[in-house]
Amino acid sequence: VLGVAALVAVALGTPTPSARADEHCPWVGSTRPRAERVAQLMERMTTADRVRMVSGIGLEAAPFGGVIPVNARLCIPALELADGPAGVANGFADVTQLPAPIAAAATWDPDLVERYGEIIGREARGKGIDVNLGPTVNIVRDPRWGRTFETYGEDPYLSGRMGVAYVEGVQGQGTMAMVKHYAVYNQETNRNVAVGDAVVSERALREVYLPHFDVIVDEAAPASVMCSYATVNGEHACQNPLLLETLKSEWAFPGFVTSDWYAAQSVDAAAAGLDVEMPAGFSLGTPLEQALARGAFPRLRLDDMVRRILTQMFRFGMFDGPDPGQQAAMVTSAVHAGIARDVAAQATVLLKNDDAVLPLDSSTVDSVAVIGAAAGPGALTRGGGSSQVDPPYVVTPLEGIAERAQASAVAVEYAADGPDAVALAAQSDVAVVFAALHETELADLSTIDLAEEVDRLIAAVAAVNPRTIVVLNTGSPVTMPWVDEVAAVIEAWYPGQEYGSAIASVLFGDVDPGGRLPVTFPRSLDDVPASGPEHWPGTDRGVEYAEGVFVGYRWYDARGVDPLFPFGAGLSYTTFAFDDLRVRSEGATATVEVNVSNIGARAGSEVAQLYVGYPDRSDAPPRQLRGFERVELEPGETARVTFRLDEGAFARWDEQAHDWMVDPGDYRIMVGSSSADLPLEARLHLP
Ligand code: BGC
């Protein structure tokens, strides 16, 4: 009788069948080794059962982004998927809206990003979501990409560290992570159509677009990888043998590959290595069944697909007990909001601070003019598209500043724009102008300029108040024609629901602005690596990745082009010094040590960054990030920071050998506070 009740419950859509180690489904709740349980279950699966497991049920999956259906007869629970990398998305309520991933990357703090991932993993579990569709780790090849805000920036090393931290955070809470989008997905224009073909060298693939996927797969063991909308060298990513063999054979990824939504284009995708089609079985439903019937699709491959999915479902305990999650559960909390606020504050990048106009000092500042619609109703706490999280509330900058100012008896007045705003700025001790730029999936930006009226407003305010502070509320780099006229510039990104409290804590100096840029801010679009239309967004001959490995700071460094603000840059309210660099090599690995000291008068945080330059190679980037460490220091305090460099830190991809090579010679080891400020350098000779 019990068995029947459980089956009925399952058929009615209860997320998980109750754990019953019985005759009927002995793999449920059993303590046998995972592989044995999978084999036991698969023995009982018909071809139809197998085919049903490799694609989603389509749009009825809502509110989930995708669902692999329940199989009541075999006690297989539904596998429920939801976005995404900035919190639980897809319209779920009572969840935490975290800062955008680009902000998470700007913290340069993997421990904090692991906390960020933990919140998402815990909230997803609470909602009954089994798979989180994140992190997004594509490289920002061009600042116009509409999803720049959703990534960890332009550098594969930083993206890898952040991706590992995120996946460990999510999966540590019992939720599967799906690393996306594999790979070379760098623009929205022509996405998922062949004309968007990325023509990219093997070396750029290996050195820029793939290495962080390798690191994340290797270190964090994500349950799934999502293949992308990109076409790469003539073959769609979801059926690209080179990409999928690299992932599954070379890196031995044991999880399942899921298509981005509508990205599976034929049964050939499954033959090439795709395991699950989302959101429905357009290619891996009936067409797969027909191919199997004709003997045109290898059954062993289908078995492998199902085995990969089931193995992860067993690994994440989905056959060990009922899913306690509830779609309507209240999963956000004050603790989660507190972490959202910490990340937003630590992500805040102070780009310019003339005459220490910041932090606001209540002994000299009596009145603050808060200016711009973006300080109030126009504040952008998130980017648009599938990663968009509905917040329980938003603290606007105006609200946050007004509240914080009260504690210091500073008067705050607000004006949105126009002559009122300029008049208010003229009569206030300090003017803080908020400037926002909306960015969203499905659309690339056509320019990286702020709206003309916003640039005009900033210039007008700066003309009447020498203590003008600009807060940028963008997901990606923007130009700053007024930069020399203003006293301070802050990049706040899309900071999530706690925007106002975080920005107020930085402006008033309760928190040191801990952020460093994960993307280069160019002076203009003329300077970006992909400057011609054939490079971005491409022509009918595809998109030429002619810059090769020279992406982001690698480009500006090699060309000697001065960016507006370089990769890794960001100021603190205190001052740091680097000294005593020591490099010790042990075979092809090395240990690097350096002192970082807070020589200023306030506590603060610095990010020690280590870059490696190859020996005499004109075809290699002058320097590449190979290590970083964030340190919090009291005034007068010194920390000894240690970096360990393995062989990979010195390797380059050789297109003749189709393999990594470490050249003998003298490598440059450079340490400092940004890609353009590296006061210490040592040589390391590798035989
Ligand atoms: C996006 C993915 C997302 C999926 C499901 C696609 O359009 O590219 O990042 O996970 O939709 O919402």
Side-chain angles (χ1 to χ4, degrees), residues 173-497:
Q173 297 301 311
T175 301
M176 299 184 199
M178 187 180 292
V179 181
K180 65 191 189 183
H181 311 75
Y182 188 73
V184 202
Y185 169 41
N186 308 108
Q187 59 185 60
E188 296 305 280
T189 310
N190 291 332
R191 80 177 202 181
N192 212 20
V193 289
V195 69
D197 185 23
V199 184
V200 58
S201 74
E202 183 180 315
R203 181 165 163 234
L205 268 179
R206 293 301 189 140
E207 293 189 12
V208 178
Y209 296 103
L210 303 187
H212 49 303
F213 282 100
D214 184 6
V215 166
I216 297 167
V217 161
D218 186 46
E219 292 186 33
S224 185
V225 168
M226 184 190 294
C227 55
S228 79
Y229 287 135
T231 297
V232 183
N233 293 329
E235 191 65 82
H236 198 276
C238 289
Q239 60 181 53
N240 188 304
L242 179 86
L243 289 180
L244 295 170
E245 275 162 29
T246 302
L247 173 66
K248 286 183 156 181
S249 306
E250 196 180 316
W251 305 340
F253 172 61
F256 55 96
V257 175
T258 308
S259 76
D260 199 345
W261 272 231
Y262 308 97
Q265 301 189 335
S266 73
V267 175
D268 295 346
L274 176 68
D275 300 306
V276 175
E277 180 184 16
M278 279 292 159
F282 305 107
S283 300
L284 305 195
T286 309
L288 175 60
E289 248 157 16
Q290 290 165 346
L292 283 161
R294 284 199 314 275
F297 188 88
R299 283 184 183 272
L300 284 176
R301 176 77 258 277
L302 178 61
D303 292 352
D304 175 51
M305 292 155 74
V306 173
R307 191 176 302 110
R308 283 170 177 271
I309 303 159
L310 286 174
T311 300
Q312 297 303 320
M313 292 176 73
F314 276 99
R315 173 183 170 208
F316 281 82
M318 293 185 66
F319 292 88
D320 294 333
D323 180 346
Q326 297 287 340
Q327 282 173 34
M330 162 66 67
V331 292
T332 186
S333 67
V335 173
H336 292 190
I339 294 175
R341 186 176 55 241
D342 283 354
V343 174
Q346 298 303 336
T348 306
V349 187
L350 179 63
L351 292 169
K352 174 175 180 177
N353 192 19
D354 281 0
D355 304 323
V357 64
L358 286 171
L360 300 177
D361 175 355
S362 56
S363 64
T364 60
V365 174
D366 293 324
S367 57
V368 174
V370 173
I371 291 170
L380 300 179
T381 55
R382 48 131 187 97
S386 58
S387 67
Q388 185 175 318
V389 174
D390 292 345
Y393 61 84
V394 163
V395 182
T396 65
L398 181 57
E399 289 163 348
I401 292 169
E403 191 184 326
R404 177 59 187 80
Q406 245 175 9
S408 300
V410 171
V412 172
E413 279 194 75
Y414 170 71
D417 50 31
D420 292 354
V422 180
L424 177 64
Q427 74 198 32
S428 306
D429 293 334
V430 167
V432 189
V433 191
F434 286 81
L437 182 69
H438 176 63
E439 194 184 306
T440 181
E441 180 179 345
L442 284 174
D444 289 320
L445 300 171
S446 55
T447 143
I448 57 168
D449 300 337
L450 293 168
E452 254 177 67
E453 63 273 17
V454 174
D455 277 337
R456 261 204 308 274
L457 175 66
I458 296 170
V461 169
V464 298
N465 192 324
R467 292 207 272 180
T468 293
I469 297 152
V470 176
V471 178
L472 295 167
N473 178 197
T474 73
S476 53
V478 288
T479 60
M480 306 178 204
W482 32 258
V483 70
D484 295 330
E485 269 85 72
V486 302
V489 181
I490 285 177
E491 176 57 78
W493 313 109
Y494 297 145
Q497 68 187 44

